[in-house]
Amino acid sequence: MKFTESPVLALRLPLWRSRFSLLLLLVAFGVLIGRAVYLQGMHDDFLQAKGEARYARAYPVNGTRGRILDRNGDVLAVSTPVKSIFAVPKAVELTTRQLQTLAQLLEMPRDDLRKKLIDESRSFVYLKRQIAPEVAAQVAALKLPGIYERREYRRYYPGGEVMAHVLGFTNADDAGQEGIELAFNEALTGRPGSRRIIQDRRGSIVEDVESIKAANGADVQLALDARIQSLAYTQLKTAIDQHRAKGGAVVVLDARSGEVLALVNLPTYNPNNRSGLSGAQLRNRAVTDMFEPGSTLKPITIAVALEQGKVKPDTVIQTAPGTLTIGPNTIRDAHPEGALTVEQVIQKSSNVGSAKIALGLSAMQMWEMFEDIGFGQVPELGFPGEVAGKVRPYKSWKPIEQATMSYGHGITVSLVQLARAYTVFANDGELKPLELSKAETLPQGKSVISPATARSMRHMLELAVQAGGTAPRAQVMGYRVAGKTGTAHKLENGAYAPDKYVASFVGFAPVSNPRLIIAVMVDEPSKGQYYGGQVAAPVFAQVMSGSLRMLETPFDAPIKPIELPPPGAEVKESI
């Protein structure tokens, strides 16, 4: 039988069935046409987005971070170009051998590298950031599909550990994390740009579609003087090594403007290599650490008494027998004296004399002075983590607390706050605001005490540095110097440690026309000597001497060798 005569071909389907099938086909075609019209005519952004996801890429472009300069224009921080390697996982096609070679060049475990490359949910993934230029060149020479290099910037600090606590550092994205880098991050960062490209399936760039130029960050010029900073660092490190101290800090201020010319902390770190850092190294002690200032606070107590008319510089205070009992507590002098003038109370650093003067004042009068000079308040210098210190409300003071606060016990301050307080004595009673940036004009200060009181205090503080005072080792050849030593037991777990001390010194020079204020703090000197006059005063003298000469400050005293007492013969202040 012929095929054409097969009975199967002779069968006829019902008419409704063929029409229904035709209708289904027409409906299907209608849905497809409608969907095509909707996607290509009315909602074409969906298809464009899908298409661009396959051939278009957008990469961020960062501007160069601004430089940080010292007051003389020397570069303290600069961003240098480096290369980073990244991948577009969807475009990566690597053989096992290529994967192994890339892992070796980037010093990465092969499995870790593979995990990054197979994650197609991400359109961009960093493989290794800020690598050496020669390594980047070796990776580029492999011409691996989907593997690219990107230009970035790494921060470089020429001053290294000398500038670490002032400048801080940036992270891998060149964003400020500490210090000036964080405080001025917005100005330094600038505005990022972007680059849009079209590439083929192998990852080769076919066309640059659009570029938005990045704006570079602005330079920031600090008040800091790199020469004085380096000098202060060297002298502080020498003292810490000599006295086997736990740490220390130095603050140098321009007495006229309040500008911070140097701020040094030890221990320190190298911001160019921050691997294995500890919290102690990162801590900016001059700004974040509180301590009891000890006898460096006596001049402030005396200034209050002079302002209130309670005493005069030649008023006699009886300090015999060298002790003062208040309730169950006894205040002692290191060297019992008899009758002392107010000037001699500062010169000899008598706790008994200071306490008796303080008890002649009201608690509110002392508290108001502490508040006026900025104690108990954040100094608003601009550094992250600034502390306010602690000054309790005067209404809660007991007589013994008021007496001990007169010589710096029961109150805590930072070294920056203490240095700023002495601007009152150097500027005829005017408290200067602190400045991190270079000041174009002299800032307006706040009047705290009268010019007459300030001049009287300058004379007393000069006596403390001369023979018969507690700080002859703070003298500087060719300049008249004024200042005050401080020695205090450290507080540990709410009690004073019997064998742990903080030695300090704050002073200014030249007395005839104050140019610089320098505050020094040495934490836990442990090689026998621990008084401020033995440990901190020599650091002050060396930093002041070198700094005044750098600034070409005219002499105001005879240029002759300074006669110092033999070791151990100094007048030791009361603690």
Side-chain angles (χ1 to χ4, degrees), residues 26 41 85 189 213 262 268 291 310 371-372 403 421 441 481 507 518 546 554:
L26 291 175
I85 305 300
T189 299
K213 190 175 181 181
T268 185
F291 67 98
K310 299 294 184 180
E371 184 180 42
D372 285 344
T441 58
V481 173
I518 299 178

Side-chain angles (χ1 to χ4, degrees), residues 253-256 425-428 458-459 462 474 476-483 507-518 540 544-545 547-549 551-558:
L253 302 181
D254 186 305
R256 303 165 184 169
F425 304 134
N427 288 283
D428 286 343
R458 283 204 293 270
H459 175 65
E462 188 174 10
V476 177
M477 187 171 66
Y479 297 99
R480 293 169 57 197
V481 173
F508 49 88
V511 173
S512 59
N513 184 17
R515 181 72 178 86
L516 297 177
I517 297 170
I518 299 178
F540 167 90
M544 182 65 81
S545 176
S547 299
L548 290 176
R549 284 165 173 77
L551 298 175
E552 300 179 350
T553 306
F555 295 115
D556 70 339

Side-chain angles (χ1 to χ4, degrees), residues 71-252:
R71 66 184 303 105
N72 301 310
D74 292 337
V75 176
L76 305 179
V78 64
S79 291
T80 57
V82 292
K83 295 291 181 68
S84 291
I85 305 300
F86 70 93
V88 178
K90 291 183 179 180
V92 172
E93 295 179 4
L94 302 184
T95 65
T96 302
R97 184 174 181 180
Q98 288 174 326
L99 180 67
Q100 180 64 33
T101 302
L102 181 60
Q104 289 176 348
L105 287 174
L106 299 181
E107 297 181 349
M108 294 177 62
R110 188 174 62 177
D111 290 342
D112 291 350
L113 179 60
R114 181 187 290 109
K115 288 177 182 178
K116 289 187 174 185
L117 296 178
I118 63 175
D119 185 5
E120 295 193 1
S121 64
R122 303 172 65 181
S123 60
F124 177 97
V125 59
Y126 277 113
L127 302 182
K128 194 70 173 287
R129 304 190 69 175
Q130 300 184 355
I131 63 175
E134 58 271 18
V135 176
Q138 289 177 287
V139 173
L142 297 176
K143 297 182 179 179
L144 303 175
I147 307 297
Y148 309 99
E149 65 179 35
R150 178 187 176 191
R151 184 179 182 179
E152 291 187 316
Y153 296 92
R154 180 169 57 195
R155 208 63 164 163
Y156 174 64
Y157 303 94
E161 59 187 16
V162 174
M163 300 286 180
H165 291 100
V166 180
L167 302 181
F169 53 85
T170 60
N171 61 12
D173 294 315
D174 219 19
Q177 301 296 293
E178 293 285 348
I180 295 295
E181 294 282 23
L182 178 57
F184 291 86
N185 187 59
E186 185 175 348
L188 290 165
T189 299
R191 187 182 70 250
S194 64
R195 179 191 181 196
R196 293 183 66 237
I197 62 170
I198 294 176
Q199 61 187 28
D200 61 20
R201 65 180 295 274
R202 291 184 172 275
S204 301
I205 297 176
V206 176
E207 180 183 357
D208 271 307
V209 178
E210 180 185 21
S211 291
I212 300 176
K213 190 175 181 181
N216 293 333
D219 290 343
V220 170
Q221 187 165 30
L222 302 180
L224 197 80
D225 190 314
R227 302 169 303 169
I228 297 177
Q229 177 82 6
S230 180
L231 172 64
Y233 173 85
T234 301
Q235 295 303 323
L236 180 63
K237 190 174 188 304
T238 299
I240 287 175
D241 292 343
Q242 177 184 348
H243 297 284
R244 288 206 299 262
K246 184 177 179 180
V250 175
V251 175
V252 182

Side-chain angles (χ1 to χ4, degrees), residues 482-514:
K484 187 69 188 74
T485 55
T487 309
H489 287 282
K490 288 192 68 174
L491 273 170
E492 286 190 349
N493 302 318
Y496 289 105
D499 57 350
K500 293 183 179 180
Y501 304 87
V502 174
S504 57
F505 185 89
V506 191
F508 49 88
V511 173
S512 59
N513 184 17

Side-chain angles (χ1 to χ4, degrees), residues 235-318:
Q235 295 303 323
L236 180 63
K237 190 174 188 304
T238 299
I240 287 175
D241 292 343
Q242 177 184 348
H243 297 284
R244 288 206 299 262
K246 184 177 179 180
V250 175
V251 175
V252 182
L253 302 181
D254 186 305
R256 303 165 184 169
S257 65
E259 292 173 295
V260 179
L261 301 183
L263 193 155
V264 172
N265 291 277
L266 285 170
T268 185
Y269 62 95
N270 184 353
N272 298 307
N273 179 18
R274 300 189 299 275
S275 59
L277 287 182
S278 66
Q281 290 171 298
L282 292 173
R283 209 168 66 235
N284 191 340
R285 294 169 180 266
V287 175
T288 65
D289 281 20
M290 299 183 294
F291 67 98
E292 291 194 347
S295 296
T296 58
L297 222 63
K298 286 175 182 170
I300 296 169
T301 302
I302 303 301
V304 180
L306 292 175
E307 282 289 285
Q308 298 299 324
K310 299 294 184 180
V311 297
K312 295 180 180 179
D314 58 357
T315 299
V316 176
I317 308 294
Q318 181 55 258

